Amino acid sequence: MTSGTPAYPRTRLRRSRTTAWSRAMVRENRLAASDLIWPLFITEGNSHSEPIDSLPGVSRWSVDLIVERAREAVDLGIPCLALFPNTQAYRRSADAAEALNPDNLMCRAIRVVKDALGDKIGILTDVALDPYTSHGQDGLIDDHGYVENDRTLDMLTKQALNQANAGADIIAPSDMMDGRVAAIRDTLELASHHNVQIMAYSAKYASAFYGPFRDAVGSSGALKGDKKTYQMDPANGDEAMREIAMDIAEGADSVMVKPGLAYLDIIFRAKQRFDVPVYAYQVSGEYALVKTGAAAGVGDHDALMMEKLVAFKRAGCSGILTYFAADAAKLLQQ
């Protein structure tokens, strides 16, 4: 019993649960469309979409159709898109040179959306080399397959600048290299991109929940080895606080915990400890489990979806990257 709370029957906590209007009045956390960031996958072609088998209900979209999704997001009140390219195999290389191409899929999509909608919607861009490397790692590797931290930083800063020049509003480094936030922040400042935000993937774990995403961006078949030398050990929480503290000190405007649902404790700790917005990525595996579970009759699809999204808010999230963004926003409009 909470200290100072009168005992039953003077206190009946069910009183406020009796009616819908009363439950609404005392609700502690509320989910809104403005809490959602919608991840979208880009592919080559015109008027072309490709359903992703391992992500039911999610497709890759050609650049012209990404604009349609952006208009849909604006109509639904979703404030920001997160873009991820499915780079063609022949454009991938060991040095990830395509990441610096000012006319790559990512940059073309940024420009087209911004030309069409301007500041009506924000664009968040992923900074990591795995969509562009032939080996599927997030950075440049040495002869033994080890991802080299400092050599990778030079590529990441150039990639971030390339995206900012195209019109990105939020740069989101997901590579987990040490020192990348400071390097990107300094580069953006020198290039006069003073208002481009950095949302750092600060606590990104070496998770088993990423499989469908790697299918979506075409890196699953290319990946050689694993990412445990730079992504975090799922057993560690204190280390996540150190990672977040370092990224804030280096210039991050906000931080992200990825995956989200399996790491609500990390989100809660980060929100309690740091005075910056904390975001969660409800990753592809978490999304797919809801889809397959609902299809198998585990529970009602929309109820499962909304309960999980509210859990992120309860843990302290300022917002959530989720493939459910459009579906959830439509429900919230009802």
Side-chain angles (χ1 to χ4, degrees):
M1 184 174 64
T2 303
S3 177
T5 300
Y8 168 89
R10 293 175 180 84
T11 297
R12 290 180 182 264
L13 293 175
R14 289 184 59 192
R15 288 187 191 120
S16 61
R17 303 176 197 152
T18 304
T19 59
W21 63 261
S22 181
R23 291 192 295 273
M25 284 179 63
V26 300
R27 188 163 294 136
E28 297 172 26
N29 295 283
R30 299 179 188 276
L31 182 70
S34 58
D35 297 319
L36 307 174
I37 297 174
W38 192 7
L40 294 172
F41 298 103
I42 321 162
T43 192
E44 294 287 353
N46 291 300
S47 299
H48 178 65
S49 64
E50 301 169 350
I52 301 166
D53 291 340
S54 56
L55 275 175
V58 178
S59 296
R60 304 180 192 94
W61 306 94
S62 57
V63 170
D64 56 315
L65 295 185
I66 287 287
V67 177
E68 292 185 16
R69 302 287 75 73
R71 294 187 191 279
E72 181 182 358
V74 171
D75 291 342
L76 290 170
I78 297 169
C80 188
L81 305 178
L83 300 182
F84 299 91
N86 182 288
T87 305
Q88 294 163 302
Y90 77 88
R91 295 182 184 273
R92 294 169 176 265
S93 59
D95 63 358
E98 180 66 9
L100 308 187
N101 178 1
D103 201 37
N104 63 25
L105 264 178
M106 178 75 88
C107 292
R108 276 184 278 144
I110 296 167
R111 287 195 297 269
V112 170
V113 172
K114 281 300 177 182
D115 287 346
L117 294 168
D119 288 335
K120 290 182 180 178
I121 195 161
I123 296 182
L124 178 153
T125 56
D126 178 68
V127 170
L129 302 185
D130 54 324
Y132 307 100
T133 55
S134 52
H135 47 71
Q137 294 288 355
D138 292 27
L140 304 179
I141 60 174
D142 64 16
D143 293 340
H144 303 287
Y146 182 79
V147 174
E148 297 184 277
N149 193 95
D150 294 3
R151 193 160 69 95
T152 297
L153 290 184
D154 181 60
M155 283 294 293
L156 296 174
T157 56
K158 292 175 180 175
Q159 181 187 16
L161 182 59
N162 190 35
Q163 295 173 358
N165 287 339
D169 299 294
I170 305 174
I171 299 297
S174 65
D175 56 284
M176 288 300 286
M177 297 299 113
D178 291 334
R180 88 274 202 210
V181 173
I184 292 170
R185 173 57 70 205
D186 290 347
T187 297
L188 294 176
E189 286 293 317
L190 287 171
S192 297
H193 288 300
H194 307 303
N195 292 326
V196 173
Q197 300 176 41
I198 295 177
M199 182 188 294
Y201 286 63
S202 297
K204 181 179 180 180
Y205 286 84
S207 171
F209 286 99
Y210 299 149
F213 175 91
R214 290 173 182 163
D215 292 340
V217 298
S219 65
S220 56
L223 180 62
K224 297 176 175 62
D226 57 44
K227 302 189 178 186
K228 294 180 180 179
T229 66
Y230 48 99
Q231 294 178 357
M232 286 186 56
D233 185 336
N236 292 356
D238 292 344
E239 183 184 14
M241 299 303 105
R242 295 180 68 192
E243 289 279 8
I244 293 169
M246 288 179 65
D247 285 352
I248 294 170
E250 291 180 12
D253 301 286
S254 56
V255 298
M256 188 196 301
V257 176
K258 181 181 180 182
L261 199 66
Y263 297 88
L264 291 178
D265 60 317
I266 306 301
I267 295 166
F268 180 80
R269 289 177 64 181
K271 185 63 176 179
Q272 295 296 306
R273 183 165 173 177
F274 302 106
D275 295 325
V276 301
V278 178
Y279 290 81
Y281 200 141
Q282 185 182 42
V283 298
S284 57
E286 295 172 328
Y287 167 89
L289 286 176
V290 173
K291 286 289 188 179
T292 55
V298 169
D300 177 78
H301 174 277
D302 291 350
L304 291 169
M305 171 181 72
M306 298 303 280
E307 185 174 338
K308 287 176 179 289
L309 292 174
V310 168
F312 291 119
K313 293 289 290 183
R314 191 181 66 246
C317 280
S318 296
I320 309 123
L321 284 80
T322 176
Y323 305 100
F324 286 123
D327 290 340
K330 289 172 186 175
L331 275 182
L332 291 166
Q333 285 186 342
Q334 295 177 6

